[in-house]
Amino acid sequence: LLIQVADSYYAVIEQAGKYYLARFNDNLEMQAKSTVTVLPYTAISVTEKGLLVQDTTNDIRLLNADNLAEAIK
């Protein structure tokens, strides 16, 4: 799943057996990676407050669209 928002692209990536949301530029260079692990099949919902994803405990998390940090803890 690849989502485009303005000039950024978002996709789930796998690193060391764990999955994260990552943000890429238009050259597909990674610009940010979430600190929370997500489900490999999570939906990525774009809102005006950030991106909604489902983490590995099945909770919905709101992430900042720029740095992919949790917007609300």
Side-chain angles (χ1 to χ4, degrees), residues 20-34:
Y20 302 90
L21 184 66
R23 181 173 66 83
F24 299 89
N25 64 16
D26 56 357
N27 292 321
L28 296 182
E29 299 165 325
M30 189 166 56
Q31 304 296 302
K33 181 181 88 171
S34 65

Side-chain angles (χ1 to χ4, degrees), residues 20-73:
Y20 302 90
L21 184 66
R23 181 173 66 83
F24 299 89
N25 64 16
D26 56 357
N27 292 321
L28 296 182
E29 299 165 325
M30 189 166 56
Q31 304 296 302
K33 181 181 88 171
S34 65
T35 55
V36 299
T37 54
V38 299
L39 294 174
Y41 49 81
T42 185
I44 303 168
S45 298
V46 179
T47 73
E48 57 188 41
K49 293 187 178 190
L51 304 170
L52 293 170
V53 294
Q54 189 172 10
D55 70 13
T56 53
T57 62
N58 292 318
D59 289 328
I60 302 299
R61 301 285 188 103
L62 178 63
L63 305 179
N64 179 295
D66 292 327
N67 62 12
L68 299 179
E70 281 190 85
I72 298 174
K73 291 189 180 184

